[in-house]
Amino acid sequence: MDHKSFSTQFLDRVSLKRSDKIWLKAQFSNQSTRIIPVWNLKSFCMPAPDQRPIFLTPSDLDNYRKAFESSILLGVSNKRTYFAVDIDSEKFASTLCNQKNGELLDLRHVVSVLNYQQGALMTLAQFMINWNSNNRFCGKCGYPTVSSEAGNVCICQNSQCKQSHFPSMDPAIIVLVSSGEYCLLGSQKPWPKGMYSTIAGFVEPGENIEDAVIREVAEETGIKVKEIAYQSSQPWLFPSSLMLGFTATARSNKIRIAKNELEDARWFSREEIKDNLNQGLMRLPSKVSIAYHLIKTWYDKGDVGKLNPT
Ligand SMILES: [Zn+2]
C-alpha cells in the first residue's frame, strides 16, 4: 500500500442507482457481487499470517433473512458490485466463521497487510455500517430514522421534521514541520513506547486548513510555522477523519509541549531516526498512513539513504 491507501477512487459510487430497488435486488442476487460482512465492528478475515479479508457471495447469506434489507451499497468496480452487510446475530457470525475458516479481527490490526483495494473496501464497509448504527435517531428532533438510498442516507420519520442525514468525514490536518536538517515529531501517551509521528489535529469550525496547521503546531509544540504547503490527503475512517497532509517550515525552534496533547515532541535529524530505528528505540506510524508518507518523503531527500524501517 502507498499513502493513497483507503481511497476508493477505483469504485464507481453509482449514486443514481441507490434508489433503484429493482437494480439493487438484481445486483444482490448476482453471484459476481461481493458482500463485505461486519459483526460488532469486527471484520471477517482469514487467520494469520494470511489475514485476507473474507468477501461473501449472495448465496453465502441465503440463511440470513435480513441480508438485503440491511445491505449498504458501496459501489461498482470492474463490473462487480460491492455491498456491506451488518451481521447483527452473533450465532450467524460464528456460523460464517466456521464455514469460511475465518475469524473476526479488528480492522486496524490487519489493514497494513491488505492490498490497496481490499483495505479501501473494508474500511468503507465498516465506516458505513458504523455511521448507520450511529444515526438511527434524528439528531435534530430525536425521532427514529429510516435508512434510505441503499444505506447512504438516514431520513427522520417525524413528518414534521423529515431531516435527511448524510455520511461525512471530519477534516483533520497532519503536518511535517522541518527546520534545516531536522523534522518535528511528537509522541502521544496512549501510543506504543518509542512511537513518534507528525503533528496532527482536527480543523476547528470557521478555520481554513492553513490556519489549522498554524494553530495545531503552535498549540501542541509552541513552534510557529511558515511556508505551509499542501501535499496530499487520505481518508482515515477510524472512525471518520479526512487527513489533509502538509509540509511547513519552522519560524522558531524552541519546543513547548502541551502535556494534555503530547507526551513528547522533539527535533530529529535523519541520522537520529536511522540510528533509533536500527536500535529498536523508535517506531514510526504504519506504512499505510499519510503520516509515514510525509516522514518518508522528507527523509528520502537527505543523504542517509531511503527510509525503510522493518
Ligand atoms: Zn427529525
Side-chain angles (χ1 to χ4, degrees):
M1 280 192 179
D2 63 16
H3 75 287
K4 292 199 169 55
S5 313
F6 313 125
S7 165
T8 55
Q9 106 279 356
F10 64 92
L11 200 61
D12 181 347
R13 307 302 279 265
V14 287
S15 54
L16 297 178
K17 295 288 191 189
R18 289 173 182 167
S19 54
D20 185 341
K21 284 276 189 321
I22 294 169
W23 182 86
L24 289 167
K25 196 102 193 173
Q27 297 307 304
F28 204 79
S29 55
N30 184 331
Q31 287 305 311
S32 75
T33 287
R34 291 294 176 268
I35 299 159
I36 302 167
V38 175
W39 175 76
N40 203 17
L41 294 184
K42 291 237 175 357
S43 298
F44 291 74
C45 296
M46 300 303 286
D50 184 345
Q51 295 189 318
R52 249 179 318 127
I54 294 171
F55 289 179
L56 306 177
T57 61
S59 59
D60 290 325
L61 292 172
D62 280 350
N63 295 323
Y64 188 64
R65 60 181 176 80
K66 296 182 201 163
F68 178 66
E69 68 191 57
S70 66
S71 67
I72 298 168
L73 175 66
L74 302 179
V76 177
S77 176
N78 284 331
K79 297 183 179 170
R80 195 189 285 285
T81 306
Y82 291 90
F83 290 89
V85 166
D86 186 11
I87 306 294
D88 68 356
S89 153
E90 185 170 4
K91 191 175 167 198
F92 190 72
S94 170
T95 303
L96 273 180
C97 281
N98 290 337
Q99 281 175 355
K100 301 290 177 184
N101 296 318
E103 59 186 21
L104 289 156
L105 296 171
D106 185 329
L107 186 55
R108 281 172 299 187
H109 297 159
V110 295
V111 283
S112 59
V113 300
L114 303 179
N115 75 32
Y116 155 57
Q117 293 198 0
Q118 289 170 343
L121 284 164
M122 299 282 278
T123 51
L124 178 62
Q126 184 158 316
F127 169 85
M128 289 303 297
I129 284 169
N130 193 31
W131 178 82
N132 271 273
S133 168
N134 290 342
N135 284 273
R136 284 177 297 173
F137 295 92
C138 177
K140 190 174 172 187
C141 76
Y143 266 59
T145 64
V146 63
S147 186
S148 183
E149 301 279 318
N152 286 269
V153 186
C154 285
I155 300 173
C156 178
Q157 290 184 284
N158 176 358
S159 60
Q160 304 296 308
C161 178
K162 296 182 181 172
Q163 180 78 32
S164 292
H165 301 272
F166 298 93
S168 63
M169 295 186 285
D170 304 316
I173 61 88
I174 183 159
V175 55
L176 186 293
V177 179
S178 62
S179 176
E181 295 301 308
Y182 292 82
C183 81
L184 178 66
L185 300 178
S187 182
Q188 292 182 19
K189 207 165 195 175
W191 291 356
K193 192 169 166 46
M195 164 85 86
Y196 280 83
S197 186
T198 42
I199 305 301
F202 288 107
V203 180
E204 296 273 358
E207 222 174 22
N208 69 33
I209 51 179
E210 292 81 2
D211 289 343
V213 170
I214 294 169
R215 177 187 52 76
E216 275 294 337
V217 178
E219 274 180 8
E220 295 192 6
T221 67
I223 301 292
K224 294 183 170 65
V225 294
K226 60 181 180 180
E227 295 164 354
I228 298 157
Y230 173 75
Q231 302 299 317
S232 60
S233 64
Q234 180 181 52
W236 190 254
L237 301 179
F238 305 103
S240 57
S241 301
L242 175 61
M243 306 305 295
L244 306 160
F246 291 85
T247 54
T249 306
R251 290 169 50 207
S252 59
N253 289 324
K254 187 167 169 29
I255 295 172
R256 194 190 64 248
I257 298 165
K259 279 292 180 187
N260 58 336
E261 304 256 5
L262 291 178
E263 172 88 339
D264 189 24
R266 292 188 217 169
W267 292 107
F268 287 93
S269 68
R270 293 176 178 85
E271 288 80 2
E272 280 175 276
I273 292 175
K274 186 176 186 177
D275 290 346
N276 285 338
L277 289 173
N278 285 341
Q279 293 171 43
L281 300 173
M282 184 179 191
R283 295 174 65 169
L284 293 177
S286 163
K287 287 183 182 179
V288 300
S289 66
I290 191 170
Y292 178 82
H293 172 74
L294 289 169
I295 296 168
K296 180 170 171 56
T297 302
W298 168 82
Y299 185 99
D300 290 355
K301 286 178 184 160
D303 54 7
V304 296
K306 304 281 186 201
L307 180 63
N308 189 26
T310 53

